Amino acid sequence: MDVLPDSAPLATKLRNTLVQYHSIADSEWRVAKKTKDATVWRKPSEEFCGYLYKAQGVVEDVTNRIVDHIRPGPYRLDWDSLMTTMDIMETFEENCCVMRYTTAGQLWNIIAPREFVDFSYTTSYEDGLLTCGISLDYGEVRPNFVRGFNHPCGWFCVPLKDYPSHSLLTGYIQTELRGMLPQSAVDTAMSSTLANFYSDLKKALKT
C-alpha cells in the first residue's frame, strides 16, 4: 500500500519552491505564447527534461474568488475544459488535500487522456494567495489513462495595488506528460492550454 507523505513538511517545501520560481529573473524566460488574456513564457526545468512554464495575466475579480475557482473544489470541473474528472482522495488540515483528476486528450488525441494524483496546498502570500501542488506516486492507475506527473506547480494571485477588484494571476507549471510523445507536441499543447486557462477562467468568473 502506498503511504502518503507527511503533509506539513511537504507543504512548506512546496511553498518555498514556488516562491523561488517567482523570483527568477525576467531575462531567464522566453515568450512561448501571447494572447489578449495572458502571456506564457518558458525556461528549461531543473526538475526534468522539459520546460517550466510561467503564465501571467490580469483577472477582473477579487483574489479569494479566483483561487476558489482554481484550487480543488466544486468550481474547477465546471469551467476547466481540460479537466474531465476530479476526486479528493484525502483531506489534511490547513488547506491541504490529495486529489486524483483526469484530463481530456489533446492535439487530435496525439496526447491521450492523462491521470494525475496531486498533493494540493493553499496558503496566504503577501496580500493574496498561493495555491500549489505536486504529483504523488499514489493509488492504482486507472485503465485507459497514462499517469502524468506534475513537478512543483502553483498559482500566485495578488490584488492589483491601484485596482483591488482586479488581481494579477501568475502560474508556474511543469508537467511531465509521460508516455511516448514528441516534445514539440507537448510544448505546443502546454502553451495553448495555459493561455486557454485564463480565457476559460475569466468566462467562468463572469457567470
Side-chain angles (χ1 to χ4, degrees):
M1 178 65 186
D2 301 324
V3 178
L4 284 171
D6 189 353
S7 62
L10 181 56
T12 302
K13 185 181 177 190
L14 187 56
R15 183 188 190 279
N16 292 344
T17 300
L18 266 297
V19 170
Q20 186 188 330
Y21 292 162
H22 208 35
S23 64
I24 293 172
D26 291 348
S27 59
E28 291 194 39
W29 299 100
R30 296 287 173 267
V31 174
K33 193 174 183 73
K34 203 164 187 167
T35 68
K36 64 180 175 54
D37 295 308
T39 302
V40 180
W41 298 264
R42 72 182 192 194
K43 71 180 288 296
S45 168
E46 293 180 9
E47 303 281 345
F48 75 119
C49 61
Y51 288 102
L52 169 64
Y53 286 86
K54 173 183 177 179
Q56 192 171 68
V58 173
V59 181
E60 293 177 34
D61 217 317
V62 292
T63 296
N64 283 41
R65 189 159 179 260
I66 293 167
V67 171
D68 274 347
H69 276 69
I70 295 173
R71 66 180 173 185
Y75 293 114
R76 185 69 185 263
L77 267 181
D78 287 346
W79 66 267
D80 189 340
S81 55
L82 193 61
M83 197 176 278
T84 48
T85 66
M86 183 179 71
D87 306 297
I88 294 178
M89 301 168 77
E90 301 283 346
T91 304
F92 306 106
E93 291 177 31
E94 297 179 9
N95 294 327
C96 292
C97 71
V98 174
M99 64 167 176
R100 186 200 329 242
Y101 65 95
T102 55
T103 57
Q106 299 175 70
L107 293 180
W108 305 281
N109 246 28
I110 291 172
I111 300 175
R114 290 293 192 270
E115 175 188 77
F116 296 86
V117 173
D118 284 8
F119 172 81
S120 174
Y121 174 54
T122 303
T123 183
S124 57
Y125 175 79
E126 293 185 348
D127 297 330
L129 292 165
L130 163 65
T131 184
C132 48
I134 186 170
S135 286
L136 305 174
D137 288 315
Y138 180 73
E140 293 291 317
V141 180
R142 283 185 276 201
N144 306 322
F145 287 97
V146 175
R147 174 70 68 87
F149 192 92
N150 285 312
H151 296 276
C153 297
W155 296 90
F156 291 88
C157 191
V158 293
L160 292 183
K161 284 188 171 56
D162 299 333
Y163 302 94
S165 61
H166 291 54
S167 302
L168 182 66
L169 181 63
T170 309
Y172 297 91
I173 305 294
Q174 47 187 343
T175 300
E176 192 171 349
L177 290 171
R178 295 182 171 167
M180 303 298 288
L181 289 172
Q183 190 61 41
S184 57
V186 173
D187 298 338
T188 301
M190 287 299 298
S191 302
S192 298
T193 296
L194 283 167
N196 292 342
F197 184 91
Y198 280 80
S199 52
D200 289 349
L201 175 61
K202 287 182 177 184
K203 282 177 204 155
L205 289 165
K206 283 177 180 164
T207 54

